[in-house]
């Protein structure tokens, strides 16, 4: 799934969910969304002029996640994403 699902770490670990992160740009710096806590995000956001932006993960990041699952022996994958109506 992509990181916009905002699942808790307990659920991610329990069900071995692979999370593919959106990218977040704050000012001149870019981060994977999963690398920023809410506090860190808002602290950084309060120190810049302008806005922050997000961008969809590259297709290759999903391919990598699927290959990781395949190497663990999974034969079926359910993949959850944002709707195309609200994201690229």
């Amino acid at each position: 799934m992509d990181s916009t699902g905002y699942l808790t770490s307990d659920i991610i670990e329990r069900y071995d969910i692979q999370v593919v992160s959106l990218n977040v740009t704050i000012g001149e710096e870019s981060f994977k969304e999963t690398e920023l806590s809410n506090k860190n995000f808002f602290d950084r956001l309060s120190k810049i002029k302008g806005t922050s932006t997000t961008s969809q993960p590259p297709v290759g990041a999903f391919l990598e996640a699927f290959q990781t699952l395949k190497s663990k022996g999974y034969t079926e994958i359910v993949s959850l994403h944002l709707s195309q109506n609200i994201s690229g």
Side-chain angles (χ1 to χ4, degrees), residues 50-86:
T51 61
S52 69
T53 60
T54 61
S55 62
Q56 62 196 20
V59 172
F62 285 102
L63 179 59
E64 185 178 314
F66 298 159
Q67 289 172 332
T68 297
L69 291 167
K70 183 178 179 183
S71 72
K72 291 181 177 185
Y74 290 96
T75 58
E76 297 180 276
I77 296 172
V78 175
S79 190
L80 305 174
H81 312 272
L82 281 174
S83 163
Q84 69 180 0
N85 293 330
I86 59 174

Side-chain angles (χ1 to χ4, degrees), residues 5-65:
Y6 304 111
L7 296 175
T8 64
S9 58
D10 292 350
I11 291 173
I12 291 168
E13 289 173 21
R14 182 181 319 144
Y15 298 105
D16 196 19
I17 296 171
Q18 300 293 306
V19 177
V20 177
S21 185
L22 269 69
N23 297 303
V24 177
T25 300
I26 304 170
E28 300 295 317
E29 295 183 277
S30 291
F31 306 90
K32 288 185 175 186
E33 181 183 35
T34 55
E35 295 173 342
L36 292 172
S37 67
N38 286 342
K39 181 181 181 336
N40 191 327
F41 172 77
F42 287 110
D43 285 347
R44 288 176 182 275
L45 192 61
S46 69
K47 295 175 183 164
I48 66 162
K49 294 188 186 317
T51 61
S52 69
T53 60
T54 61
S55 62
Q56 62 196 20
V59 172
F62 285 102
L63 179 59
E64 185 178 314

